[in-house]
C-alpha cells in the first residue's frame, strides 16, 4: 500500500515541516518514505509545497499526479490540488484562509479553521499541525499518537518548549475531523 | 547506525566527510548549496579544510591544487557552475590527479532555472572539457545510492587517478529519504600521501604534476595511456540495475530520477498485465552497453525516458545497433515527468512492439 | 492643478517612465527597489530611456529587466561588465550600464570589473553592496564583515579562514581608466538623495565619454540578515558605513573642471 500526501501553502506556513513530520513518523514506524519539496527563492513570498509518500514497499517516483490526500493552506493551493486528489482521497482545507468550499463529491473533504484554533492555543504557527492532525485522523495510515511521538523525537531543540502545544494542535485537528461528517 | 531521514545535499556532503575527504572548495549555487553550507560547518569542526572560493573556476583549481598534494578532495556545484569548471577538469584529467565532483543538475541552457534536470549528460559523460578524456560518471537514483556512490567515488578516483563525477539532479539534492551513512574514516596522514604527490622533495627527486606535453608524440603517448586506463575502467566499473526483465517484452531504460519515476510507471504497467522491464544504468561512463545489448536481444521494443531532449538515447542506440525500435520520452527545462506520463508512453511502446523498427 | 472642490492638488509622486508597472519580487524593506527607482529617475531626467541599455546580473536583481522599461540583457554570473563592453563598443552613443550585487561584481566577476575599469570602458556600474549573497539564501559575500554570520560562515566570518572584505571603490579607484568611483549609502533619506546625485554624475561621465564610472550603494538584505527592515537600515549605518567609508574615491579632473565652468 502506498499513500501520497501533498501539503501546500504560502512560504512560512509550515507546509514543508508538516510534511517532514509525516515522513519522520513513517520512518519511525517502519514504512518506506520520501519527502519531496518545492524549492527555490521562496523567501520572497512564493508558494511552498511538498509531496510525502508513505509505503510498505520500496518507493519509485517521489512525485505523483494524483495524490491520495492533500492539505491546502491557501486559495491557490486549493485551486491547484482539489482537482488532482485521487477519487476517494482526502482533502483538508484551511478555512481560516480559504473562503470558499471545495466542490468535489468523490473525495472526503475536511474543513478546518486552523489559524483560529492555533490562535486559541496561543501560537499562530501551529496551524500546520492542526491541519496535519485532521488529515491523520481520516487518512488511516498513521495515528495521532505515532505522529505525536515522532514529533518528540525530531522537534528542533529551539522549539522543544512548544512540544506540548504542538501535540495539542494535532489533537485539536483530529477532533475536528472526528466531528466532521463522514461521506456515506 | 540505522537509517536517518536525510536530504540529498547533506547526505552526499556527509558521505564525503565519512570517506575521509580532507578538503572541500566550492561556490554557492542552487539547488546544491546545502552541501556547501554543511561543509562550512562540519569541516572546520573536524579540523579539515573548507573554503568558499570566489568562483567555480577558482574552486576547481583549488581542488586541483589540493589533489596534487595527494589528499582526498572534492567540490560540488550545479550546471552553470560546472560549466565554469570545464577548463580545470580538463587540466585535472591531463595530469591524472584524483578528484571527486558532485553535479546536482538544473534546468538549462544558460541561467535556465533551478529545477531538476538531466541536461548535462552529454557534457559530463562525454568528457566536457577539451581533449580526449572521460571521467567516471555515477548516477544515483536514491539518497542511499547517492551516499554509497559518493563514498566509493573517492576510492575509485584514487584507484584510477581520475575524475569521478556523481551526476544527480535537483530533486535528488533536495529530497529527503531514509538512508544510512557509512562509518567515519580518518583522513590520511601526511606521511601516507601517494608517492607521486607534491609533498616536498625530502630525500627524493622532485615530483612534477603537469598536463603539458609539447612534443605531439609524447602527448600521444600520454593519451594512449589514458585510453588504456579507460579500457580498464570499462572492464571493471560498469554498473546497472535490472528490474522485472525476466518476462519483459519491452524495456524502459532510464537513469537517476527518471529511472525511479519510470520504475513506478513500469510497476503500474505490470499490474495491468503488460510485460515490461526496467534497466537503470548507474555508471554512465563506463556505459552499460552490454546490458543494453542483452536487453535489445530479449525484448521487442525499447523506451528511453530522460529529463532532457534525448542525450543518453544516443548511447542506447549505439548498443541496440538497430536490433529493435527505440522510442523516446523526455521532459526538458526542469520539468519532472510524472509516472502517469511515462505510463502512457509505455502503453504506446507496448502497442508498437510487434511493428519492428 | 485645481481640483473640483477648488483645492489645489499637486503631484508629488509618479512612477518614473523608466520603470515598468510590474510589482517587484524583492522582499519587504529590501533596498534593491530604491536603487532601481533612483537609476530610473536619473535616466528619465536625462531623457535617455530610449537610448539606454541595461545589463542585469545573476543575483536577486536577476529580473531587473522586468522592472526597467528599456532594452536589457541578462548576463552570466559576474560577467555583466564584459557583456556591457561588447554592447558599448558597438553602440557608443548608447548609455550602457550594469547593475550588480557584491557576489556578482566582487567575487565571481572580479576579473571582469577590474578590466572594465582598467580599460576605462565607458560604461556605468551600479554596485549593490549588501554584504551577503541574497539570492542563494545568505552565504558569505566578499564584502561580508569580519565576524558576520552567514549560512557559509555559521560562526561568523573568520578572517583567518576567509580573509578580509574587499573594498571595491578603493581598489578600482587605483585604475587609470576609472573616471568616477564613489560610495554612497541608502540607509536614510538624506543619503538616498546623495546617492541619486552620484548616479546622475556617473551617467553624465559616460555621456561625456570620460571613462569608467561606478556608484557603490551600501544596501540592506533584511531577509538574510534575519532582522527587520528598519533594523537593517540601522545595521547599514552602524556597521557597514564604518567598514566601507562613504565618499568620492576617484573623480576625474575633467569632471571637476566641468563643474566649475
Ligand atoms: C556560475 C554560477 N555560479 C553560481 C550561481 C548561483 N548564484 C546565483 S546569485 C548568486 C549570488 C548573488 O549574490 P549577490 O551578487 O551579492 O546579489 P544579491 O542576491 O545579494 O542581490 C549566486 C552565487 C550562478 N547562478 N551561476
Ligand atoms: S534576499 Fe535580500 S537582497 Fe534579495 S530581495 Fe530579499 S532582502 Fe533583497
Amino acid at each position: 500500500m502506498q499513500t501520497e500526501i501533498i501539503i501546500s501553502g504560502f512560504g512560512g506556513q509550515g507546509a514543508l515541516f508538516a510534511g517532514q513530520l509525516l515522513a519522520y513518523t513513517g520512518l519511525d514506524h517502519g514504512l518506506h518514505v520520501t519527502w519531496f519539496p518545492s524549492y527555490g527563492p521562496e523567501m520572497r513570498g512564493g508558494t511552498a509545497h511538498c509531496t510525502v509518500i508513505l509505503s510498505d514497499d520500496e518507493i519509485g517516483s517521489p512525485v505523483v499526479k494524483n495524490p491520495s490526500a492533500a492539505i491546502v493552506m491557501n486559495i491557490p493551493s486549493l485551486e491547484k490540488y482539489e482537482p488532482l486528489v485521487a477519487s476517494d482521497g482526502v482533502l483538508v482545507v484551511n478555512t481560516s484562509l480559504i473562503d470558499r468550499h471545495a466542490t468535489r463529491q468523490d473525495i472526503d473533504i475536511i474543513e478546518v479553521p486552523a489559524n483560529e484554533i492555533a490562535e486559541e492555543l496561543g501560537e499562530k504557527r501551529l496551524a500546520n499541525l492542526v491541519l496535519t492532525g485532521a488529515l491523520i485522523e481520516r487518512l488511516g495510515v498513521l495515528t495521532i499518537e505515532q505522529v505525536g511521538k515522532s514529533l518528540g523525537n525530531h522537534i528542533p531543540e529551539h522549539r522543544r518548549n512548544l512540544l506540548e502545544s504542538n501535540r495539542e494542535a494535532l489533537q485539536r485537528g483530529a477532533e475536528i475531523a472526528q466531528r466532521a461528517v463522514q461521506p456515506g | 547506525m540505522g537509517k536517518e531521514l536525510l536530504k540529498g545535499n547533506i547526505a552526499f556532503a556527509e558521505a564525503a566527510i565519512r570517506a575521509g575527504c580532507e578538503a572541500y572548495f566550492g561556490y554557492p549555487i542552487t539547488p546544491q548549496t546545502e552541501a556547501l553550507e554543511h561543509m562550512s560547518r562540519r569541516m572546520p569542526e573536524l579540523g579539515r579544510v573548507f573554503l568558499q572560493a570566489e568562483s567555480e573556476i577558482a574552486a576547481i583549481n583549488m581542488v586541483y591544487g589540493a589533489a596534487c598534494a595527494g589528499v582526498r578532495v572534492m567540490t560540488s556545484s550545479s550546471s552553470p557552475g560546472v560549466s565554469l569548471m570545464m577548463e580545470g577538469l580538463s587540466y585535472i584529467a591531463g595530469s591524472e590527479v584524483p578528484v571527486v565532483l558532485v553535479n546536482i543538475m538544473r534546468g538549462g541552457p544558460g541561467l535556465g532555472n533551478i529545477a531538476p534536470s538531466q541536461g548535462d549528460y552529454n557534457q559530463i559523460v562525454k568528457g566536457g572539457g577539451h581533449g580526449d578524456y572521460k571521467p567516471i560518471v555515477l548516477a544515483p537514483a536514491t539518497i542511499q545510492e547517492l551516499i554509497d556512490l559518493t563514498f566509493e567515488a573517492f576510492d575509485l578516483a584514487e584507484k584510477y587517478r581520475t575524475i569521478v563525477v556523481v551526476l544527480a539532479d535537483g530533486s535528488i539534492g533536495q529530497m529527503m529519504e531514509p538512508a544510512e551513512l557509512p562509518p567515519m574514516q580518518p583522513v590520511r596522514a601526511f606521511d601516507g600521501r601517494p608517492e607521486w604527490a607534491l609533498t616536498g622533495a625530502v630525500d627524493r627527486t622532485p615530483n612534477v604534476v603537469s598536463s603539458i606535453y609539447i612534443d605531439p608524440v609524447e602527448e600521444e603517448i600520454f593519451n594512449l595511456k589514458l585510453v588504456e586506463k579507460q579500457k580498464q575502467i570499462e572492464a571493471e566499473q560498469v554498473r546497472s540495475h535490472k528490474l522485472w526483465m525476466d518476462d519483459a517484452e519491452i524495456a524502459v531504460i532510464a537513469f537517476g530520477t527518471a529511472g525511479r519515476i519510470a520504475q513506478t510507471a513500469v510497476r503500474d504497467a505490470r499490474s495491468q498485465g503488460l510485460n515490461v522491464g526496467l534497466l537503470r544504468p548507474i555508471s554512465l561512463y563506463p556505459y552499460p552497453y552490454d546490458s543494453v545489448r542483452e536487453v535489445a536481444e530479449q525484448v521487442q521494443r525499447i523506451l528511453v525516458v530522460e529529463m532532457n531532449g534525448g542525450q543518453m538515447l544516443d548511447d542506447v542506440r549505439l548498443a541496440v545497433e538497430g536490433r529493435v525500435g527505440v522510442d523516446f520520452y523526455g521532459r526538458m527545462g526542469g520539468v519532472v515527468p510524472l509516472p502517469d506520463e511515462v505510463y502512457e508512453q509505455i502503453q504506446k511502446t507496448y502497442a508498437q512492439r510487434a511493428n519492428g523498427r | 492643478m485645481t481640483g473640483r472642490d477648488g483645492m489645489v492638488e499637486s503631484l508629488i509622486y509618479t512612477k518614473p517612465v523608466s520603470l515598468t508597472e510590474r510589482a517587484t519580487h524583492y522582499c519587504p524593506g529590501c533596498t534593491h527597489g530604491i536603487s532601481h527607482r533612483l537609476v530610473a529617475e536619473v535616466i528619465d531626467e536625462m531623457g535617455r530611456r530610449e537610448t539606454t541599455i541595461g545589463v542585469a546580473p545573476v543575483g536577486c536583481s536577476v529580473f531587473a529587466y522586468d522592472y526597467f522599461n528599456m532594452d536589457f540583457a541578462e548576463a552570466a554570473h559576474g560577467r555583466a561588465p564584459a557583456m556591457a563592453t561588447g554592447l558599448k563598443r558597438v553602440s557608443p552613443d548608447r548609455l550602457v550600464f550594469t547593475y550588480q550585487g557584491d557576489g556578482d561584481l566582487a567575487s565571481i566577476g572580479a576579473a571582469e570589473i577590474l578590466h572594465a575599469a582598467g580599460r576605462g570602458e565607458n560604461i556605468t556600474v551600479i554596485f549593490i553592496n549588501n554584504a551577503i549573497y541574497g539570492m542563494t539564501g545568505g552565504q558569505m559575500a566578499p564584502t561580508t564583515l569580519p565576524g558576520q554570520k552567514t549560512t557559509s560562515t555559521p560562526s561568523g566570518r573568520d578572517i583567518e579562514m576567509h580573509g578580509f572584505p574587499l573594498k571595491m571603490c578603493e581598489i578600482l579607484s587605483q585604475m587609470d581608466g576609472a573616471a568616477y568611483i564613489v560610495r554612497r549609502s541608502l540607509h536614510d533619506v538624506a543619503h538616498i538623495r546623495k546617492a541619486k546625485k552620484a548616479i546622475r554624475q556617473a551617467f553624465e561621465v559616460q555621456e561625456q565619454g570620460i571613462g569608467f564610472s561606478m556608484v557603490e550603494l551600501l544596501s540592506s538584505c533584511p531577509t538574510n540578515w534575519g532582522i527587520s527592515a528598519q533594523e537593517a537600515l540601522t545595521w547599514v549605518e552602524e556597521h557597514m558605513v564604518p567598514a566601507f567609508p562613504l565618499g568620492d574615491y576617484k573623480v576625474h579632473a575633467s569632471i571637476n573642471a566641468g563643474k566649475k565652468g
Side-chain angles (χ1 to χ4, degrees):
Chain A
M1 240 266 296
Q2 176 166 310
T3 307
E4 307 98 3
I5 304 152
I6 287 179
I7 307 181
S8 179
F10 294 123
Q13 278 185 301
L16 300 186
F17 177 75
Q20 281 182 7
L21 177 59
L22 294 180
Y24 276 121
T25 310
L27 169 63
D28 289 349
H29 296 88
L31 296 176
H32 293 261
V33 303
T34 55
W35 174 89
F36 186 93
S38 62
Y39 60 87
E42 311 250 277
M43 56 188 53
R44 283 168 290 278
T47 66
H49 56 89
C50 63
T51 305
V52 176
I53 302 186
L54 307 166
S55 175
D56 32 49
D57 210 356
E58 186 192 347
I59 299 170
S61 175
V63 288
V64 289
K65 182 173 172 206
N66 303 116
S68 344
I71 296 177
V72 290
M73 305 169 91
N74 60 14
I75 291 183
S77 304
L78 175 73
E79 276 162 8
K80 181 157 179 207
Y81 293 110
E82 181 186 357
L84 292 181
V85 172
S87 248
D88 298 325
V90 183
L91 179 69
V92 181
V93 181
N94 179 11
T95 54
S96 304
L97 293 180
I98 299 174
D99 57 4
R100 72 167 180 81
H101 296 286
T103 54
R104 290 262 305 265
Q105 301 293 323
D106 60 332
I107 56 174
D108 181 9
I109 294 164
I110 313 165
E111 298 189 329
V112 185
N115 291 43
E116 278 87 346
I117 296 174
E119 267 168 47
E120 279 170 40
L121 294 171
E123 177 55 66
K124 271 186 285 190
R125 284 177 303 172
L126 291 176
N128 58 344
L129 292 186
V130 176
L131 295 161
T132 305
L135 174 74
I136 290 303
E137 182 62 30
R138 290 279 259 278
L139 194 62
V141 176
L142 301 165
T143 66
I144 292 290
E145 290 68 38
Q146 289 175 328
V147 179
K149 191 158 165 257
S150 292
L151 188 62
N153 297 339
H154 304 287
I155 196 165
E157 216 34 64
H158 63 277
R159 290 188 73 177
R160 188 154 284 281
N161 57 332
L162 294 175
L163 181 57
E164 275 324 302
S165 49
N166 275 257
R167 287 185 171 145
E168 174 79 19
L170 287 168
Q171 199 57 47
R172 290 289 297 276
E175 282 161 18
I176 299 237
Q178 283 159 12
R179 264 182 276 135
V181 201
Q182 302 263 3
Chain B
M1 278 281 310
K3 287 191 173 181
E4 305 164 58
L5 191 63
L6 290 169
K7 184 174 217 175
N9 285 334
I10 310 272
F12 82 70
E14 187 59 30
I17 290 173
R18 305 286 174 103
C21 176
E22 200 171 330
Y24 175 96
F25 304 95
Y27 187 77
I29 186 166
T30 316
Q32 160 282 156
T33 302
E34 294 86 353
L36 172 132
E37 290 172 347
H38 185 78
M39 289 301 200
S40 78
R41 189 174 57 77
R42 284 282 282 155
M43 295 296 263
E45 212 170 82
L46 295 163
R48 305 188 196 176
V49 175
F50 164 82
L51 192 58
Q52 182 179 318
E54 67 270 31
S55 68
E56 292 85 353
I57 300 178
I60 193 67
N61 286 288
M62 291 173 182
V63 165
Y64 187 15
C68 290
V71 305
R72 293 195 154 190
V73 55
M74 79 173 296
T75 184
S76 58
S77 188
S78 177
S79 311
V82 174
S83 285
L84 282 182
M85 294 183 180
M86 284 303 154
E87 179 199 47
L89 288 168
S90 174
Y91 276 64
I92 289 166
S95 40
E96 294 191 282
V97 291
V99 159
V100 174
L101 160 68
V102 180
N103 180 1
I104 303 293
M105 293 178 280
R106 63 186 228 181
L111 194 50
N113 56 43
I114 56 176
S117 162
Q118 298 181 327
D120 305 353
Y121 180 96
N122 279 342
Q123 181 194 38
I124 300 295
V125 175
K126 305 301 173 187
H130 58 282
D132 265 308
Y133 77 95
K134 284 180 181 170
I136 294 179
V137 184
L138 305 171
T142 64
I143 306 296
Q144 188 64 59
E145 215 170 36
L146 174 68
I147 289 172
D148 297 345
L149 292 175
T150 307
F151 190 82
E152 198 187 342
F154 288 89
D155 291 335
L156 294 177
E158 283 179 348
K159 175 170 182 193
Y160 299 105
R161 289 181 59 181
T162 186
I163 302 162
V164 181
V165 183
V166 177
L167 188 67
D169 65 84
S171 59
I172 295 181
Q174 294 294 325
M175 70 182 281
M176 291 176 97
E177 205 170 26
E180 191 171 343
L181 286 161
M184 181 72 85
Q185 284 193 23
V187 296
R188 176 183 293 133
F190 190 89
D191 291 346
R193 292 184 183 181
E195 85 283 358
W196 50 261
L198 309 185
T199 51
V202 180
D203 298 332
R204 62 162 167 77
T205 51
N207 286 337
V208 173
V209 178
S210 157
S211 65
I212 180 171
Y213 297 91
I214 286 292
D215 178 355
V217 175
E218 273 184 40
E219 179 73 70
E220 189 183 44
I221 292 170
F222 173 73
N223 271 270
L224 287 170
K225 189 177 152 209
L226 289 187
V227 169
E228 274 315 303
K229 182 158 81 181
Q230 276 169 212
K231 278 190 191 147
Q232 192 193 345
I233 290 170
E234 283 163 19
E236 295 172 355
Q237 294 303 334
V238 179
R239 300 145 196 244
S240 64
H241 182 60
K242 272 187 191 171
L243 257 184
W244 305 307
M245 278 305 304
D246 288 351
D247 61 353
E249 293 172 66
I250 67 164
V252 179
I253 304 183
F255 72 95
T257 295
R260 68 184 290 170
I261 292 169
Q263 183 175 329
T264 296
V266 170
R267 192 192 56 200
D268 293 348
R270 291 186 70 82
S271 72
Q272 298 302 311
L274 275 54
N275 292 331
V276 190
L278 177 74
L279 174 69
R280 182 166 65 79
I282 294 171
S283 58
L284 301 180
Y285 179 78
Y287 193 76
Y289 289 109
D290 288 339
S291 307
V292 176
R293 193 172 304 117
E294 282 161 25
V295 165
E297 277 160 5
Q298 175 192 335
V299 300
Q300 291 166 278
R301 205 170 178 87
I302 287 174
L303 170 65
V304 175
V305 180
E306 296 181 73
M307 284 151 61
N308 60 41
Q311 300 190 18
M312 181 184 73
L313 177 62
D314 291 344
D315 283 313
V316 171
R317 287 199 173 122
L318 278 177
V320 169
E321 287 183 297
R323 285 183 186 86
V324 293
V326 179
D327 299 328
F328 175 71
Y329 183 69
R331 296 301 303 259
M332 289 182 277
V335 178
V336 179
L338 293 168
D340 304 63
E341 300 165 40
V342 179
Y343 180 76
E344 269 176 40
Q345 296 302 317
I346 290 174
Q347 284 179 313
K348 284 187 194 158
T349 297
Y350 202 75
Q352 290 279 317
R353 70 190 184 286
N355 296 354
R357 288 181 270 140
Chain C
M1 206 211 270
T2 307
R4 258 182 308 167
D5 47 7
M7 271 169 49
V8 177
E9 283 178 17
S10 55
L11 188 63
I12 56 169
Y13 179 91
T14 56
K15 205 161 191 174
V17 186
S18 292
L19 288 182
T20 63
E21 290 301 315
R22 191 87 167 244
T24 74
H25 69 290
Y26 300 117
C27 304
C30 173
T31 48
H32 266 306
I34 297 176
S35 314
H36 281 25
R37 187 176 166 100
L38 296 183
V39 171
E41 283 179 358
V42 164
I43 293 173
D44 273 14
E45 286 160 19
M46 293 172 72
R48 295 294 307 256
R49 187 190 70 83
E50 295 86 346
T51 51
T52 298
I53 302 167
V55 183
V58 178
C60 280
S61 46
V62 64
F63 298 127
Y65 51 78
D66 281 337
Y67 312 136
F68 283 105
N69 183 19
M70 59 191 66
D71 281 6
F72 240 86
E74 159 59 36
H77 194 21
R79 318 297 172 213
M83 215 176 167
T85 298
L87 280 159
K88 183 75 184 182
R89 290 280 173 134
V90 299
S91 326
D93 63 337
R94 293 294 181 256
L95 276 186
V96 175
F97 77 101
T98 72
Y99 182 103
Q100 301 177 258
D102 42 29
D104 195 82
L105 180 141
S107 192
I108 194 166
E112 280 73 9
I113 196 71
L114 209 69
H115 286 276
R119 287 190 305 267
E121 207 60 61
N122 201 24
I123 60 171
T124 298
V125 173
I126 308 297
F127 171 34
I128 307 301
N129 178 357
N130 60 10
I132 206 152
Y133 283 13
M135 185 181 220
T136 42
Q139 297 77 28
M140 182 188 76
T143 45
T144 293
L145 301 183
Q148 187 184 336
K149 281 191 182 166
T150 71
T151 58
S152 60
T153 55
S155 30
R157 180 176 185 153
D158 174 359
I159 49 169
E160 295 285 321
M161 199 197 305
H162 297 286
F164 297 89
L166 292 190
K167 299 182 179 171
M168 294 312 290
C169 280
E170 286 83 336
I171 295 169
L172 295 180
S173 62
Q174 300 303 309
M175 315 247 94
D176 291 335
Y180 184 69
I181 306 282
V182 301
R183 184 182 289 127
R184 298 290 185 266
S185 175
L186 299 177
H187 67 268
D188 63 23
V189 176
H191 283 89
I192 290 171
R193 291 227 171 88
K194 288 184 190 150
K196 183 174 167 185
K197 277 205 190 107
I199 293 170
R200 171 83 191 227
Q201 181 65 265
F203 276 110
E204 282 175 0
V205 164
Q206 183 183 163
E207 209 165 44
Q208 291 157 25
I210 303 174
F212 180 87
S213 55
M214 181 178 90
V215 181
E216 173 174 344
L217 299 170
L218 301 186
S219 303
S220 72
C221 177
T223 300
N224 286 305
W225 295 352
I227 53 182
S228 74
Q230 187 54 49
E231 286 167 336
L233 295 177
T234 310
W235 201 85
V236 172
E237 184 179 10
E238 289 179 357
H239 296 273
M240 289 185 71
V241 173
F244 299 103
L246 306 181
D248 297 355
Y249 285 84
K250 173 112 186 236
V251 179
H252 194 275
S254 61
I255 300 173
N256 282 333
K259 276 246 172 75
K260 277 174 201 132

